[in-house]
């Protein structure tokens, strides 16, 4: 079993920064790709950024240049540095872990609120 716990969400003013963390615990020795997704009210969950174990990344066009995804494999922790936050970024942010064996786990999410 695997548990993913997000943290770092909160209220931030437009233009501000926030750093999200996702700590994986349990049977975490075969994590391949990790990613951040977000879901705003009345919208579908969407990919924000993802990163392979080797560090290859990709981002949604809406966050390129502002967000940076990273991971610490030794600590089994995923990060998302969010800069120049805008009201459109407000959402619940979810951590996702994909394993070599093909299983996927999700965290429960952390709320990011950006004042307008």
């Amino acid at each position: 079993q695997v548990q993913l716990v997000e943290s770092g969400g909160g209220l931030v003013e437009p233009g501000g920064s926030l750093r999200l963390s996702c700590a994986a615990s349990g049977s975490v020795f075969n994590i391949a790709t990790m990613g951040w997704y977000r879901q705003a009210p009345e919208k579908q969950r969407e990919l924000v950024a993802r990163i392979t174990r080797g560090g290859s990344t990709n981002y949604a066009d809406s966050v390129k240049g502002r967000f940076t995804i990273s991971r610490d494999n030794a600590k089994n922790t995923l990060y998302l540095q969010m800069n120049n936050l805008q009201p459109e970024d407000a959402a619940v942010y979810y951590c996702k872990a994909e394993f070599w064996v093909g299983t996927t786990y999700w965290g429960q999410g952390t709320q990011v609120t950006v004042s307008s």
Side-chain angles (χ1 to χ4, degrees), residues 49-110:
R50 65 197 300 272
I51 183 170
T52 68
R53 187 171 185 84
S56 297
T57 61
N58 56 50
Y59 297 87
D61 288 341
S62 59
V63 306
K64 286 181 179 178
R66 299 188 297 121
F67 291 10
T68 302
I69 189 172
S70 61
R71 63 190 290 176
D72 186 331
N73 293 329
K75 296 182 178 180
N76 296 307
T77 302
L78 177 72
Y79 303 96
L80 184 67
Q81 179 66 46
M82 304 184 293
N83 297 326
N84 192 24
L85 282 161
Q86 301 299 313
E88 294 75 24
D89 298 314
V92 177
Y93 283 70
Y94 297 91
C95 175
K96 179 184 179 183
E98 303 171 10
F99 286 74
W100 299 111
V101 295
T103 56
T104 299
Y105 292 87
W106 292 88
Q108 295 191 39
T110 184

Side-chain angles (χ1 to χ4, degrees), residues 4-9 18-24 36 70 77-81 93 95 110:
L4 302 175
V5 180
E6 302 95 336
S7 61
L18 213 56
R19 184 176 175 85
L20 306 183
S21 299
C22 172
W36 288 100
S70 61
T77 302
L78 177 72
Y79 303 96
L80 184 67
Q81 179 66 46
Y93 283 70
C95 175
T110 184

